[in-house]
Amino acid sequence: MTPPASPVTRRRIRGDGVDLAVYEQGDRSRPTVLLVHGYPDTHAVWDEVAERLSGRFHVVRYDVRGAGASSRPFGRKRYTFGYLMADLQAVMDATAPDRKVHLVGHDWGSIQAWEAACTMPDRFASFTSISGPCLDHVGHWMRRRLARPTPSNLRRAAGQAARSWYIYFFQTPLLPELMWRAGLSRPFARALELGEGVPPRPGHPAATMARDGASGVGLYRANMLRRLRGPLDRRTDVPVQVIVPTRDLFVSPHLVGGLAARVPNLSIRPVKAGHWVPRSHPDEVAGWITEHMTGARSGPLDATGPRAPRRAPLDVG
């Protein structure tokens, strides 16, 4: 039986030049799980999952820069990974300063969480990634397939390129912002309901979506093409769970191929769902996060010692 949800408290903390709206639930003495949202969402995309986790854990969420009730800096330079990592660190320092955090990310929240898990692994007890791959891994994945242009490799590379059409559109000056401000939020919400079975609920899609979408294109302009064209050699020893929605219209399930070589402690969970799986399958997502957290040790920041790796049950190549 799932324990009852805890009330939500909100406060503001200072990130790197921005004010961040932070939302907490649950007993602060219990293990902390940090849920990071993607684009063009806010913390509210996690509402159902947070409700299910808050009876057992200290649940932390925040609106990333450019979204929801947080500050909206102008210009692409303010959305680079360096600023995102500083914000993430500020949230952890304010909510769980003396212990490791269980990190969970969806979409762009997962993309930046990969950066965190690879650059400051000692800060995390576990990481669950959903529909947001490591950009460096994607860059290497594409290069390997193009270097061996078999029909299968070319088909998979082309499939991901087709899913990523919006990335290139977002590089266009002004047009994406104008479309969001002209009313793109309404058809977006309708497509979410019809395409993924995710009906609107209070907070999601957010009333601020037009501004969130316009500001958040900075994430794509500041980071995407640079990393995909010149991928770094990213690795992490953090225990990683990748939840793979097999009906994702934006992220190919095949992107997990080769990931085990860079993440020795890896498990993969496929689910027949679309991109917004935290909204469409909150019971399953909360259950898998709980299982992954329980299997990974959560302790003080100076905790050391090996963890037994878990074999990924699926690698789709």
Side-chain angles (χ1 to χ4, degrees):
M1 182 177 179
T2 303
S6 300
V8 181
T9 61
R10 172 181 163 180
R11 58 173 160 153
R12 299 185 72 81
I13 69 165
R14 190 66 177 169
D16 191 343
V18 296
D19 289 323
L20 301 171
V22 178
Y23 304 82
E24 294 182 76
Q25 290 170 266
D27 187 343
R28 292 187 180 183
S29 68
R30 296 184 176 183
T32 297
V33 54
L34 173 59
L35 308 174
V36 189
H37 72 83
Y39 175 92
D41 296 318
T42 68
H43 75 282
V45 74
W46 291 112
D47 278 351
E48 292 99 335
V49 173
E51 288 170 3
R52 288 157 173 78
L53 294 175
S54 64
R56 297 185 59 181
F57 305 111
H58 173 219
V59 181
V60 177
R61 296 175 285 163
Y62 69 105
D63 290 336
V64 303
R65 60 174 57 214
S70 292
S71 300
R72 305 173 189 278
F74 178 77
R76 73 174 66 185
K77 292 182 180 180
R78 297 292 181 176
Y79 291 88
T80 59
F81 277 125
Y83 285 104
L84 298 176
M85 293 302 96
D87 291 347
L88 186 67
Q89 183 72 59
V91 172
M92 292 190 294
D93 288 347
T95 59
D98 301 318
R99 64 186 180 206
K100 295 184 178 183
V101 167
H102 295 272
L103 181 63
V104 183
H106 172 252
D107 187 81
W108 248 100
S110 178
I111 291 174
Q112 68 162 303
W114 273 109
E115 182 77 3
C118 291
T119 58
M120 44 181 167
D122 292 343
R123 199 64 181 82
F124 304 106
S126 73
F127 169 37
T128 295
S129 166
I130 309 172
S131 292
C134 173
L135 293 187
D136 301 289
H137 175 72
V138 175
H140 289 297
W141 183 91
M142 290 291 288
R143 289 185 174 198
R144 288 197 304 272
R145 270 126 195 93
L146 296 177
R148 296 183 64 251
T150 64
S152 176
N153 280 345
L154 290 177
R155 184 172 62 253
R156 290 175 177 179
Q160 181 54 52
R163 284 177 164 91
S164 302
W165 63 268
Y166 61 96
I167 294 175
Y168 305 100
F169 172 68
F170 285 164
Q171 310 304 314
T172 307
L174 297 179
L175 184 57
E177 291 94 325
L178 291 175
M179 290 186 65
W180 277 113
R181 296 186 185 281
L184 184 59
S185 301
R186 187 179 298 273
F188 179 92
R190 186 63 173 159
L192 196 63
E193 182 174 9
L194 294 177
E196 304 215 8
V198 177
R201 61 164 286 174
H204 188 263
T208 56
M209 177 174 278
R211 288 181 292 157
D212 299 342
S215 299
V217 294
L219 296 167
Y220 294 87
R221 293 171 179 166
N223 302 288
M224 277 285 189
L225 296 186
R226 178 182 301 179
R227 285 296 182 87
L228 294 177
R229 290 170 177 171
L232 304 175
D233 185 21
R234 291 298 199 205
R235 302 173 185 274
T236 186
D237 289 325
V238 175
V240 176
Q241 169 180 234
V242 182
I243 297 175
V244 183
T246 58
R247 298 172 181 168
D248 196 320
L249 295 178
F250 307 103
V251 181
S252 169
H254 297 292
L255 285 179
V256 299
L259 188 58
R262 299 177 180 276
V263 184
N265 196 336
L266 175 69
S267 61
I268 298 174
R269 291 188 184 271
V271 55
K272 292 182 180 179
H275 186 76
W276 272 270
V277 66
R279 287 286 327 274
S280 63
H281 292 68
D283 287 324
E284 290 89 340
V285 170
W288 291 332
I289 292 171
T290 298
E291 183 177 331
H292 189 53
M293 290 177 62
T294 303
R297 185 178 60 194
S298 178
L301 290 180
D302 60 355
T304 58
R307 298 185 183 94
R310 291 186 292 168
R311 186 177 302 277
L314 169 69
D315 190 335
V316 296

